[in-house]
């Protein structure tokens, strides 16, 4: 059943987003963040294709509006958890590009001290507690962090990012139930890109929307266009504000589409008839173009803004890459100190 309606139709929502009445300074900052995430991931894709990165890399190119829209309402004391596709979650919070690149190379200067690679990122300085590749695994951890935040009484929230495929894991439903029962300040953010690995959601579930699981647990929820940073931001602002006030968990289903395959740099356009037909259409619903065009039409940025910032970030990536390559690999003792909970 197509419960998402027009949100699942890539021929819709291609126009510039409506920014009337919004703070242009905030929007320009969000555009910069979108461009940063897109450019860094394209840089990583090039390094993967060249064989210079050998750890698995799951790219979220095309999905950048979701972490940017959510992160603008978070603070460093909040507790954010990601999944195997979390470069954007990490960067949107202010994570270091240099530390991300170094981590993909397994260098000691990486954000996880070279122990995690692309899928195990963390930076508690910006509130990113961590990401792991096990589907659904960080969702109960985020609920626990949210429960701790409630007990601390400082108004902090937890955020759990996961894909539509994770909703097929039992632990996600246990987590939703627990969060609702114990009024936990957590926001569940489902990045519904319609594919779990190589299988379309309608080949796995009876409906293409997963918000029905929030309804089942009586959790306040929003279903939004995940390629509209303002739509994501408004949903996040509403639900995060409720959670901070002790009004319980929230659930965002952001409908989007990843431009690259499940893992690696290729587009996987040969996998499944629907993906082959849909990718070129979804690219016309680009979150970067829609915001940039709106800002340009309103006179808030100049015509070459996106290309200019892509060039600047690409140069930063080149410099960071050389610095990361020159960094040492971790000392074997670091396994004890950072992985098995030794003296650090």
């Amino acid at each position: 059943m197509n419960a998402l309606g027009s949100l699942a139709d890539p021929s819709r929502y291609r126009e510039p987003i409506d920014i009337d009445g919004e703070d242009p300074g905030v929007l320009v900052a969000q555009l910069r963040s979108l461009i940063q995430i897109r450019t860094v991931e394209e840089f990583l894709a090039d390094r993967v294709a060249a064989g210079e990165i050998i750890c698995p890399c799951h790219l979220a190119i095309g999905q950048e509006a979701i972490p940017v829209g959510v992160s603008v309402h978070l603070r460093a004391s909040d507790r954010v958890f990601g999944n195997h596709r979390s470069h954007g979650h990490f960067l949107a919070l202010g994570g270091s590009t240099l530390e991300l690149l170094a981590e993909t190379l397994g260098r000691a200067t990486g954000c996880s001290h070279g122990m995690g690679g692309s899928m195990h990122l963390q930076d508690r300085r910006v509130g990113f507690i961590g990401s792991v590749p096990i589907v659904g695994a960080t969702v109960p951890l985020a609920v626990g962090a949210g429960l701790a935040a409630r007990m601390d009484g400082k108004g902090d929230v937890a955020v759990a990012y996961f894909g539509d495929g994770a909703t097929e894991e039992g632990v996600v439903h246990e987590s939703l139930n627990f969060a609702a029962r114990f009024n936990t300040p957590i926001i569940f953010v489902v990045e519904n890109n319609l594919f779990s690995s190589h299988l379309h959601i309608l080949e796995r579930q009876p409906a293409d929307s997963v918000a029905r699981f929030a309804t089942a647990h009586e959790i306040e929820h929003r279903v939004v266009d995940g390629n509209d940073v303002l739509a994501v931001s408004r949903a996040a602002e509403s639900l995060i504000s409720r959670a901070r006030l002790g009004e319980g968990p929230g659930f965002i289903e952001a409908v989007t589409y990843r431009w690259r395959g499940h893992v690696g740099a290729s587009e996987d356009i040969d996998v499944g008839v629907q993906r082959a037909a849909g990718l070129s259409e979804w690219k016309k619903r680009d979150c970067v173009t829609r915001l940039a065009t709106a800002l340009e039409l309103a006179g808030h940025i100049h015509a070459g803004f996106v290309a200019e910032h892509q060039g600047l970030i690409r140069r930063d990536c080149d410099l960071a890459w050389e610095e990361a390559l020159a960094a040492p690999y971790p000392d074997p003792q670091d396994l004890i100190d950072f992985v098995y909970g030794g003296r650090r």
Side-chain angles (χ1 to χ4, degrees):
M1 179 179 69
N2 178 14
L4 290 174
S6 62
L7 284 175
D9 181 355
S11 69
R12 303 287 301 278
Y13 306 103
R14 293 179 175 179
E15 65 281 352
I17 64 176
D18 182 5
I19 62 171
D20 187 43
E22 298 293 329
D23 183 338
V26 172
L27 293 176
V28 171
Q30 289 181 319
L31 178 59
R32 291 178 190 271
S33 187
L34 293 174
I35 296 168
Q36 179 201 20
I37 296 169
R38 172 75 56 85
T39 306
V40 170
E41 286 220 297
E42 288 176 339
F43 183 90
L44 287 170
D46 290 345
R47 303 283 76 74
V48 170
E52 298 173 68
I53 293 175
I54 59 173
C55 71
C57 273
H58 298 73
L59 303 170
I61 296 170
Q63 302 182 185
E64 298 87 353
I66 301 169
V68 171
V70 172
S71 296
V72 71
H73 303 293
L74 298 176
R75 53 202 192 196
S77 55
D78 292 325
R79 302 102 194 262
V80 183
F81 294 78
N83 55 15
H84 56 284
R85 202 179 303 280
S86 274
H87 303 148
H89 309 146
F90 174 84
L91 292 170
L93 288 168
S96 162
T97 297
L98 171 59
E99 292 184 7
L100 172 60
L101 298 184
E103 191 59 40
T104 64
L105 288 169
R107 304 305 170 105
T109 53
C111 60
S112 299
H113 307 287
M115 301 290 165
S118 166
M119 295 186 288
H120 300 84
L121 310 175
Q122 64 87 33
D123 189 345
R124 297 197 176 202
R125 296 167 299 183
V126 298
F128 194 67
I129 308 303
S131 60
V132 300
I134 301 173
V135 177
T138 53
V139 180
L141 300 180
V143 173
L147 184 61
R150 194 195 78 179
M151 296 170 70
D152 288 344
K154 298 178 181 178
D156 293 332
V157 302
V159 175
Y161 287 103
F162 52 102
D164 51 285
T167 64
E168 293 152 27
E169 297 289 335
V171 70
V172 171
H173 300 275
E174 294 169 5
S175 298
L176 291 169
N177 181 66
F178 186 98
R181 174 64 183 82
F182 290 95
N183 203 43
T184 308
I186 179 173
I187 310 302
F188 300 96
V189 182
V190 181
E191 298 169 304
N192 186 354
N193 59 28
L194 306 178
F195 278 84
S196 178
S197 185
H198 302 82
L199 205 60
H200 192 274
I201 190 169
L202 288 177
E203 297 178 275
R204 303 167 357 242
Q205 296 192 27
D208 57 4
S209 175
V210 297
R212 65 191 191 277
F213 302 129
T215 300
H217 294 284
E218 299 188 353
I219 293 175
E220 188 77 14
H221 67 277
R222 307 282 188 276
V223 182
V224 300
D225 174 10
N227 288 32
D228 180 341
V229 70
L230 262 181
V232 177
S233 178
R234 289 168 181 152
E237 181 179 28
S238 170
L239 295 175
I240 290 171
S241 296
R242 290 183 69 259
R244 292 199 195 283
L245 293 172
E247 297 178 10
F251 186 105
I252 299 172
E253 179 177 5
V255 184
T256 185
Y257 207 83
R258 54 177 162 81
W259 292 10
R260 303 296 178 112
H262 171 62
V263 60
S266 72
E267 293 184 337
D268 284 358
I269 58 173
D270 59 330
V271 180
V273 173
Q274 294 184 60
R275 181 166 176 86
L279 181 57
S280 61
E281 294 301 302
W282 276 95
K283 286 186 176 182
K284 297 174 185 176
R285 195 162 146 179
D286 177 22
C287 61
V288 177
T289 301
R290 292 171 68 197
L291 177 57
T293 303
L295 288 169
E296 185 181 336
L297 290 172
H300 299 310
I301 63 171
H302 58 273
F305 183 94
V306 172
E308 176 184 309
H309 281 75
Q310 285 173 330
L312 291 171
I313 295 164
R314 187 79 185 196
R315 284 193 289 275
D316 287 343
C317 287
D318 287 335
L319 292 171
W321 183 252
E322 293 304 315
E323 185 174 342
L325 284 171
Y329 289 104
D331 187 280
Q333 177 63 30
D334 289 345
L335 286 169
I336 303 299
D337 294 338
F338 296 123
V339 177
Y340 295 106
R343 56 187 168 83
R344 281 179 282 185

